[in-house]
Amino acid sequence: MGTVQYRPQTPLFIPLSPSGILHSDMKRRISILGSTGSIGTQTLDVIRDHPDVFEVVGLAGYRNLDLLNQQIEEFRPLLASAGEPNPQLNGDSGCRWSPEYLEGLTEVATLDEADTVVVATVGAAGLVPTLAALRAGKNVALANKEVLVMGGDILMAEARRLNRPIIPIDSEHSAILQCLQGESSHTIEKIVITASGGPFREWDVERIRRANIDEALNHPTWSMGKKITVDSATLLNKGLEVIEAHHLFDIDVDRIEVVIHPQSIIHSMVEFNDGAVIAQMGVPDMKVPIQYALTVPDRLPRRDPTLDLAALRQLTFDQPDFEKFPCLRMAFEACRKGGGYPAVLSVANEVSVDAFLNKRIPFGAISELIEAALEHHKDPSHLDFEAILQIDSQTRTFVNQRLTDKSNLQPSHPG
Ligand SMILES: NC(=O)c1ccc[n+]([C@@H]2O[C@H](COP(=O)([O-])OP(=O)(O)OC[C@H]3O[C@@H](n4cnc5c(N)ncnc54)[C@H](OP(=O)(O)O)[C@@H]3O)[C@@H](O)[C@H]2O)c1
């Protein structure tokens, strides 16, 4: 019998020489969109750990110019951009500055010298540059999950057509990718995505409704940017990951299951048709999946502590509570409906989370605003990239109108 290979319908793998990246003379040349954020800075940590393997050629930040300028000073990219002018940029850094915001982001995403683009922006910001990076022939290492939630059908079709990989950085999807190595796609029974359960796992519905910002940002196992941390508290983050997995692994949403696993040690699992379940485990540290996304299917040594199972003593699992966490239910429903619904879900969430973080609405109003936006949405007959951008703008307008009309919302909370 010949060897059976996992043949994804989507091009998930970077073509490597048989000896892999470690033995290549060529450095991998990386551009990072969102270099000043949590994933962006950890990507730079990985690159700093392996200067013989990686080289930074492009950096894009947004508002944090001080950090961006420090990164430019240290990594000496060829091109950099941000959301505003950068008068501090030192003329002799050797770095070209792209002065316009969106054009700059796209310029960094399509830079000739880059072979891999890490998309670590947040929300809808990464949508246009990700498509541009694929079309420019880049390997895309994707953290910005909202991009796939909003435009998954179009982006995956484009990745397939161009034979370019979209490699997940999200720890759950990296885990699934690792579980699928050497497997055959037709033997997958289901994908099991683990969730920590967030800070409100054991709270009752009323207390969750009134949760304040500090409580929502107090994630039990991961240290991340503010939006994803709030998304983890509503469990919408897990819902976005379900939709992301549906696109990346070309699997029906009803064959994706979410399991609460508070220790965040098993990052996800795949069950096969013979009943075997393969799980990927490790310390909850995003540097592991970031590094894997940059080397797949090869690996590089880790310098930090690794997993100590005996110290952990136990791993526990539970079912998610769809009543207590309606955002997770809505994400499954939006994925089943398809079309523009996942984009509405994602954009309505983005605007609502921003309103929560600016103390304009209580925590409980986030799910109410998303529900209202989904109910209001009329899906277009044809969904192309323009239609997605239009849904983005219509959903922002709808949610912002709701936010202006305070009578639709509970009073704002104190902190
Ligand atoms: N953090 C994690 O552990 C983790 C894990 C899995 C997946 N993810 C996903 O990765 C993405 C990034 O998360 P994060 O936690 O790294 O977020 P973050 O810390 O908030 O960083 C976001 C980055 O994007 C930039 N940015 C923000 N708004 C932008 C805009 N409108 N246009 C262009 N750039 C913009 C920020 O720049 P400035 O800071 O300069 O303003 C920053 O560099 C999210 O989609 C998240 O869901 C994160």
Side-chain angles (χ1 to χ4, degrees), residues 3 25 27 76 86 103 126 133 138 148 152 161 171 187 231 237 249 282 295 298 304 324 351 365 377 389:
T3 16
D25 290 338
K27 281 193 187 178
R76 305 266 157 178
N86 188 0
E103 287 83 349
K138 310 299 177 194
L148 269 189
R161 182 179 75 79
S171 58
T187 62
D231 290 351
N237 180 52
F249 303 107
T295 62
D298 217 329
D304 299 315
K324 217 156 85 168
V351 181
H377 175 66
L389 295 179

Side-chain angles (χ1 to χ4, degrees), residues 33-40 42 60-65 68 101 105 119-123 125-126 143-146 169-172 222-228 231 237 240-241 286:
L33 313 182
S35 65
T36 46
S38 165
I39 293 292
Q42 291 180 85
Y62 187 50
R63 298 258 183 256
N64 191 346
L65 292 186
L68 181 64
Y101 158 58
L105 203 55
V119 184
T121 38
V122 61
N144 189 178
K145 64 191 85 184
E146 297 91 339
I169 282 182
D170 234 336
S171 58
E172 293 76 2
W222 295 95
S223 163
M224 310 177 285
K226 283 187 182 173
K227 179 189 178 273
I228 184 177
D231 290 351
N237 180 52
L240 299 180
E241 287 174 11
M286 283 307 297

Side-chain angles (χ1 to χ4, degrees), residues 41-52 54 56 67 70-71 74-75 287 303:
T41 50
Q42 291 180 85
T43 304
L44 290 170
D45 289 343
V46 168
I47 293 172
R48 200 179 280 113
D49 282 350
H50 300 285
D52 47 332
F54 305 115
V56 175
L67 180 56
Q70 281 172 34
Q71 295 175 344
E74 178 181 354
F75 291 95
K287 278 169 68 182
R303 309 237 157 100

Side-chain angles (χ1 to χ4, degrees), residues 349-406:
N349 176 59
E350 193 177 325
V351 181
S352 308
V353 169
D354 187 63
F356 169 70
L357 287 170
N358 284 298
K359 301 185 183 175
R360 295 178 66 195
I361 57 168
F363 186 80
I366 297 174
S367 60
E368 291 167 8
L369 284 166
I370 298 172
E371 187 132 49
L374 287 166
E375 272 168 20
H376 176 79
H377 175 66
K378 302 270 171 298
D379 218 30
S381 51
H382 177 64
L383 197 74
D384 55 16
F385 201 68
E386 283 307 311
I388 299 275
L389 295 179
Q390 211 173 352
I391 289 171
D392 176 306
S393 130
Q394 285 165 351
T395 306
R396 276 174 211 278
T397 304
F398 175 81
V399 179
N400 279 318
Q401 268 164 6
R402 285 274 168 140
L403 287 167
T404 312
D405 180 4
K406 291 273 187 194

